[in-house]
Amino acid sequence: MKKIWLFSLPLLFVFSLSGKAQTIDSLKIDFSGFIESYYAYDFNTPTENQKLPFMYNYNRHNEFNINNALLRVKASYENVYASFALHAGTYVEDNYAAEDIKWVSEALVGIYLDKKRKHTVEMGIMPSYIGFETAISALNLTVTRSILAENSPYFMTGLKYQFQLNDKWTFATFFTNGWQRIAKPDKSALPAFGSQITYKPTEKAVLNWSTFIGDEPTEFGLRTRYFSNLFFDYQWNENWRTIAGFDAGMQKSSVGDKHKKWFSPVLIAQYTFNSKWQSAFRTEYYQDENNVFINVNDIAFKTFGNSFNIDFSPTKRLKIRTEARWLKSQEAVFINNNEMVNDNFFITTSMSFEF
């Protein structure tokens, strides 16, 4: 993997020297990147390397670090295109811990099947089709990700077919290696199936419904997982924007025909003061009684959360953000000075730059 990194950096640097886009005959190459540094302080003063075991971003306590640094090259030729991206940071260390290929964020090839580009096929490592929050934090309304987003896929590896019916409706189907997988851990499992329906009634509104069905490996063998993500994103006016989301899933239990279930509603409201200043408030709830995703020593995870952030953008490519976040659980699932407590408060400050 180090050889790939060392080989790719000079190549990306050459592209960057000559501008954002290069055209050779009908070959077009675009170069872009993103880097985000951060400092986080958890008032529960954790002693472990990670603040919280179910968070994968900004997850270092009382430490300056890099959350995500990404370099991407996109190439297109006639009706074919490809994208390749490398990344590094604590987000990669935590979120790709189970993968052998950690430093590749994106590696896919796509083709438009018709002249109007309504039918598209892609294959490779691609961003997840589930949810409204991405690994590029500058695109998200809040600094940290919702518990909902942190415990659903950030990436997928597989095949995607997309059909854009018109400006309002887009449909897609997916066959993947499973729930946030690059390598498939159990080769006997069939490819997981996913779907996505996106409806844009106006330029200011997006309604999205994504699903996942697949067999996931557990200590008791393969167990079928069913999952649904629904969100509505609406820009009310030049000041207000809201996102309402809801996740629900179930997975076959290791005993009998019962299923382990989890769900999470979230509401985010963003207010834009002017071109430089924004703020956002989030309220959320996450319930995982059977510890499918959040393992807290067989204690039912039922947690409310609130956060508030202030964003300052001195230029359109630079963003400085600070967020205060409080989590409150019905049970004592957090650790403070080696004691179990039912709440957690932490502050995160980040600085990011896109190019």
Side-chain angles (χ1 to χ4, degrees):
M1 197 61 235
K2 290 183 178 179
K3 293 182 178 179
I4 295 178
W5 179 264
L6 292 173
F7 171 78
S8 301
L9 279 181
L11 180 62
L12 296 173
F13 182 68
V14 169
F15 291 147
S16 66
L17 287 178
S18 51
K20 182 176 176 61
Q22 294 294 311
T23 302
I24 304 174
D25 294 330
S26 59
L27 174 64
K28 182 179 179 182
I29 298 175
D30 291 294
F31 172 83
S32 63
F34 174 80
I35 184 169
E36 178 185 38
S37 58
Y38 74 98
Y39 174 83
Y41 191 90
D42 187 333
F43 286 83
N44 282 10
T45 60
T47 57
E48 301 294 329
N49 189 39
Q50 294 178 305
K51 296 202 323 288
L52 293 168
F54 54 88
M55 294 292 186
Y56 305 94
N57 288 274
Y58 319 100
N59 208 18
R60 301 293 184 271
H61 164 65
N62 193 23
E63 175 180 310
F64 292 95
N65 217 316
I66 300 298
N67 185 56
N68 192 10
L70 181 142
L71 291 170
R72 176 186 286 116
V73 171
K74 289 186 176 181
S76 61
Y77 181 78
E78 296 179 348
N79 65 328
V80 180
Y81 60 92
S83 179
F84 180 70
L86 299 173
H87 60 176
T90 57
Y91 156 79
V92 179
E93 293 176 9
D94 295 349
N95 216 31
Y96 290 72
E99 300 291 345
D100 293 328
I101 302 175
K102 302 180 187 298
W103 310 114
V104 177
S105 171
E106 193 173 301
L108 63 88
V109 177
I111 181 172
Y112 298 107
L113 301 179
D114 63 312
K115 293 182 178 180
K116 293 184 178 181
R117 299 190 172 185
K118 291 182 175 291
H119 300 269
T120 311
V121 172
E122 292 181 357
M123 182 181 290
I125 302 172
M126 61 189 70
S128 173
Y129 62 94
I130 294 172
F132 53 86
E133 293 174 291
T134 76
I136 307 300
S137 66
L139 302 177
N140 300 327
L141 272 59
T142 59
V143 181
T144 61
R145 278 64 166 179
S146 310
I147 305 176
L148 164 155
E150 290 282 58
N151 293 277
S152 60
Y154 276 95
F155 58 90
M156 296 283 198
T157 303
L159 177 71
K160 171 186 177 180
Y161 166 71
Q162 179 175 292
F163 170 55
Q164 185 172 351
L165 179 64
N166 49 44
D167 293 338
K168 295 184 177 182
W169 289 96
T170 302
F171 303 88
T173 56
F174 302 81
F175 294 94
T176 68
N177 285 344
W179 184 271
Q180 189 163 282
R181 307 282 186 185
I182 293 180
K184 194 174 183 179
D186 191 328
K187 301 302 187 290
S188 65
L190 294 173
F193 173 79
S195 67
Q196 183 180 30
I197 300 175
T198 303
Y199 175 56
K200 297 181 179 180
T202 69
E203 293 183 355
K204 297 182 178 181
V206 178
L207 178 64
N208 187 97
W209 180 39
S210 300
T211 67
F212 173 94
I213 302 174
D215 291 332
E216 288 298 304
T218 70
E219 58 180 324
F220 303 103
L222 294 173
R223 292 292 181 266
T224 304
R225 179 175 299 172
Y226 305 90
F227 179 79
S228 172
N229 164 263
L230 181 70
F231 71 85
F232 180 61
D233 185 339
Y234 190 69
Q235 183 79 48
W236 296 86
N237 51 45
E238 63 181 8
N239 299 114
W240 286 102
R241 178 185 173 189
T242 59
I243 298 179
F246 184 78
D247 276 11
M250 63 181 184
Q251 182 170 298
K252 196 173 188 306
S253 176
S254 58
V255 180
D257 296 326
K258 295 183 178 180
H259 287 81
K260 300 178 179 180
K261 300 177 182 179
W262 68 94
F263 68 91
S264 176
V266 60
L267 176 64
I268 304 173
Q270 182 188 65
Y271 184 80
T272 300
F273 297 93
N274 50 49
S275 61
K276 296 182 182 297
W277 290 94
Q278 290 178 315
S279 67
F281 174 79
R282 169 179 54 204
T283 186
E284 61 181 328
Y285 175 73
Y286 196 95
Q287 179 170 308
D288 184 5
E289 290 188 272
N290 302 113
N291 299 159
V292 177
F293 291 106
I294 303 177
N295 191 346
V296 284
N297 300 320
D298 296 324
I299 302 173
F301 187 85
K302 300 179 180 180
T303 299
F304 287 92
N306 291 307
S307 71
F308 178 78
N309 60 279
I310 292 287
D311 305 340
F312 174 57
S313 301
T315 73
K316 66 177 182 179
R317 298 188 180 276
L318 177 68
K319 184 172 286 189
I320 303 169
R321 320 180 78 181
T322 297
E323 177 189 88
R325 187 172 185 180
W326 178 64
L327 301 176
K328 175 72 171 180
S329 176
Q330 294 185 20
E331 305 290 341
V333 298
F334 304 107
I335 300 176
N336 187 354
N337 293 324
N338 295 320
E339 294 183 2
M340 301 303 295
V341 296
N342 64 356
D343 69 332
N344 192 205
F345 179 74
F346 49 95
I347 295 175
T348 306
T349 296
S350 73
M351 181 181 293
S352 64
F353 179 69
E354 287 184 274
F355 57 94

